[in-house]
Amino acid sequence: MSALTQTTDGHGRAGRTLSGLAVAVGLLLFLGGFVWGALLYRPYTVPTNSMSPTIGIGDRVLAQRIDGDAVRRGDVVVFEDRLWADQPMVKRVVGVGGDKVACCDRQGRMTINGEPLVEPYVPGAGPASPTGFSATVPDGQLFLLGDHRADSLDSRTHLTDAGRGSVPRTAVKARVDATAWPMAGWGMIDRPAAFAALPGGTSRPGPLPLVVTSVVVGAVLILGGAAYGPLARRLTRNGRAMAVSHG
């Protein structure tokens, strides 16, 4: 056996071992990422324009399944309440039990317990709400507003209900972590800094970036490992052809 053949066979065995390992690890990461994501997240289609520009009508979002007790101010949540609609709705939590939510102060800002909020997600330069309101949120309830305040049927519309415009925490089904479609608008939903200074702070994003990374890295390892065999055989043939031509 020639030195070229011995070297090629040795490298080939090592390469096949590494490529097999890459495919195995890739499958583990790829499938594991999908299973992990399926257990934690649900896709939803937003039915209205009330959360524009943060989320547009018809956008697909990925929402992490959570317990209502985990909700914090500033979260964008998916919830169901029979008094509001016969379908899941998407709104932003601006007040929790015990909060006094009011609008607007002299600068047109919404206040929580007298503290004004800077809300960069609200479109336009006008007041935080085109209609004034004031409500104290009952314990165990959430006060919810759409970001598009001029085009949102939200807690302001239900102020005369028994819950004074709020919904129970148990109505929350999931917390929106990201917009998934259209691709041009894909991205994580930020936690507004204005709520961070309030008691309880803001929630932490879910593990969606890790889920996506697992799937992408897994796919790359699978494709790279699968491509090694054909590439190695081609390089071996070229090497032998060169050896013969110089022999």
Side-chain angles (χ1 to χ4, degrees):
M1 182 181 294
S2 67
L4 174 63
T5 302
Q6 292 175 347
T7 302
T8 301
D9 288 346
H11 288 171
R13 285 192 296 272
R16 287 192 295 271
T17 300
L18 289 176
S19 66
L21 181 61
V23 171
V25 173
L27 283 171
L28 181 63
L29 290 173
F30 187 80
L31 296 177
F34 265 111
V35 172
W36 188 18
L39 290 174
L40 289 180
Y41 288 92
R42 287 186 61 185
Y44 290 91
T45 300
V46 178
T48 70
N49 197 46
S50 66
M51 282 300 296
S52 175
T54 305
I55 307 171
I57 184 171
D59 285 1
R60 295 279 284 180
V61 298
L62 294 176
Q64 183 184 3
R65 294 178 173 92
I66 61 167
D67 186 83
D69 291 337
V71 174
R72 299 287 183 270
R73 300 181 193 88
D75 287 343
V76 177
V77 298
V78 179
F79 68 99
E80 295 183 31
D81 189 285
R82 290 183 302 169
L83 295 178
W84 287 49
D86 293 326
Q87 63 181 348
M89 301 186 70
V90 179
K91 303 291 182 187
R92 188 183 297 277
V93 177
V94 298
V96 298
D99 285 344
K100 182 177 181 180
V101 185
C103 194
C104 302
D105 68 3
R106 292 182 179 180
Q107 285 74 46
R109 299 170 297 184
M110 183 171 65
T111 63
I112 296 180
N113 303 323
E115 295 294 328
L117 288 182
V118 176
E119 300 182 279
Y121 45 80
V122 175
S129 173
T131 57
F133 66 90
S134 179
T136 298
V137 187
D139 289 341
Q141 302 278 112
L142 301 170
F143 199 84
L144 303 152
L145 297 180
D147 288 355
H148 198 311
R149 302 284 162 79
D151 189 27
S152 176
L153 298 178
D154 46 39
S155 287
R156 297 168 298 172
T157 311
H158 296 273
L159 288 174
T160 58
D161 294 351
R164 286 173 276 178
S166 61
V167 301
R169 284 182 176 269
T170 53
V172 174
K173 304 302 179 184
R175 179 174 54 215
V176 178
D177 256 3
T179 302
W181 187 263
M183 288 297 292
W186 191 94
M188 298 293 289
I189 301 294
D190 293 332
R191 269 53 172 179
F195 294 96
L198 296 174
T202 53
S203 63
R204 299 183 63 181
L208 183 59
L210 291 177
V211 172
V212 173
T213 299
S214 176
V215 172
V216 171
V217 171
V220 170
L221 288 173
I222 292 169
L223 293 174
Y228 171 80
L231 181 61
R233 286 192 293 272
R234 182 173 181 179
L235 292 175
T236 299
R237 286 196 300 269
N238 291 343
R240 288 173 177 170
M242 291 179 61
V244 170
S245 65
H246 288 85

